Amino acid sequence: GRPPQSKLEAPTAPTQHNATMAKMTPLPTNKYLLLLSIVIGHSLLGGYYAGTRPEGAGWRFFSWHPFLMMVGMVGLMGTATLTKKRMGYTNTKLHGMIAWAGLMSSYAGFYVIYQNKNTMGKDHYTTLHSKAGLAVLVGSTMLGMAGGVFLHPDFGIDKQNGLIRTGHKFASRGMLGLAWLATLSGLQTLIGEDDVKGLLFFAAPLVLAAPFTLL
């Protein structure tokens, strides 16, 4: 008869996490650098453009709000997401650090608009744009804390849990997508609904980067 298979030869079923990782490939360097140039360039140029709208308004205290939010949610958060797609231990740690830097920049932008409205005697959270922005800040903070506690590659308490990893990934990208939409609604408020050309020009880099960053 056929001899029994030894324990050393017995096949082991791959974990859900390992099976998922096997299907993924790191983002190529050339594509990574191209996408970085789009999100970082757009955050700086688009942030300055939004900060100086309406046309002729120039740079003022309010201008720091769109600029810092663009740097935080488009430039740094976009970079964090793309860096995670490079995969590996170092890129995972960089992902977390860059994402928190983006969140700090966004909180600085939140402080600017909060103080500006107080100075002008306006109410807070009266528009869909402001409510979306607040939701993104709160949601991103919670996701960042959960990522650090559960998924940090050094001390995460459940870093191999495939369900938590998947939930963190898609919830974070959902928050980032909402943030990018909020930048468009904010610009629309500044330039007016009739300036379709300006809005499309501003949206173009986000549309180009979105399939590779958010999906």
Side-chain angles (χ1 to χ4, degrees):
R2 178 177 165 183
Q5 188 176 31
S6 70
K7 290 184 178 180
L8 291 176
E9 296 173 346
T12 56
T15 63
Q16 181 182 359
H17 168 64
N18 290 337
T20 301
M21 294 297 290
K23 296 178 183 178
M24 299 174 61
T25 56
L27 186 67
T29 300
N30 57 347
K31 185 178 290 186
Y32 174 69
L33 294 176
L34 175 61
L35 291 167
L36 282 191
S37 68
I38 293 175
V39 295
I40 294 174
H42 182 54
S43 72
L44 296 173
L45 298 176
Y48 178 81
Y49 174 78
T52 54
R53 300 304 97 184
E55 188 173 356
W59 191 267
R60 63 273 196 208
F61 177 68
F62 164 81
S63 302
W64 287 106
H65 168 65
F67 183 79
L68 289 169
M69 296 301 276
M70 286 287 292
V71 168
M73 286 294 167
V74 178
L76 291 170
M77 284 290 195
T79 297
T81 303
L82 292 167
T83 300
K84 184 66 179 77
K85 289 182 175 233
R86 297 280 287 166
M87 303 175 63
Y89 171 81
T90 300
N91 288 321
T92 297
K93 293 185 72 172
L94 284 172
H95 157 79
M97 291 185 284
I98 297 169
W100 274 106
L103 195 54
M104 293 303 100
S105 177
S106 300
Y107 269 112
F110 170 78
Y111 168 80
V112 170
I113 192 61
Y114 196 90
Q115 287 297 109
N116 191 67
K117 286 200 171 188
N118 282 345
T119 301
M120 299 179 69
K122 293 185 177 181
D123 293 331
H124 299 283
Y125 316 121
T126 59
T127 64
L128 186 60
H129 168 76
S130 61
K131 293 173 183 176
L134 182 62
V136 166
L137 283 177
V138 173
S140 297
T141 302
M142 294 174 65
L143 286 164
M145 293 173 66
V149 171
F150 292 100
L151 301 177
H152 193 283
D154 290 330
F155 50 75
I157 62 176
D158 206 2
K159 57 189 176 184
Q160 298 298 331
N161 189 306
L163 181 61
I164 294 178
R165 294 172 70 92
T166 300
H168 177 79
K169 177 176 73 173
F170 287 109
S172 298
R173 292 180 187 178
M175 282 291 106
L176 190 57
L178 180 59
W180 288 13
L181 289 174
T183 67
L184 298 177
S185 68
L187 181 70
Q188 186 179 46
T189 301
L190 291 170
I191 67 176
E193 296 182 357
D194 296 333
D195 192 355
V196 178
K197 184 178 179 180
L199 191 62
L200 290 176
F201 180 77
F202 185 85
L206 298 177
V207 174
L208 286 173
F212 307 99
T213 308
L214 304 180
L215 301 179

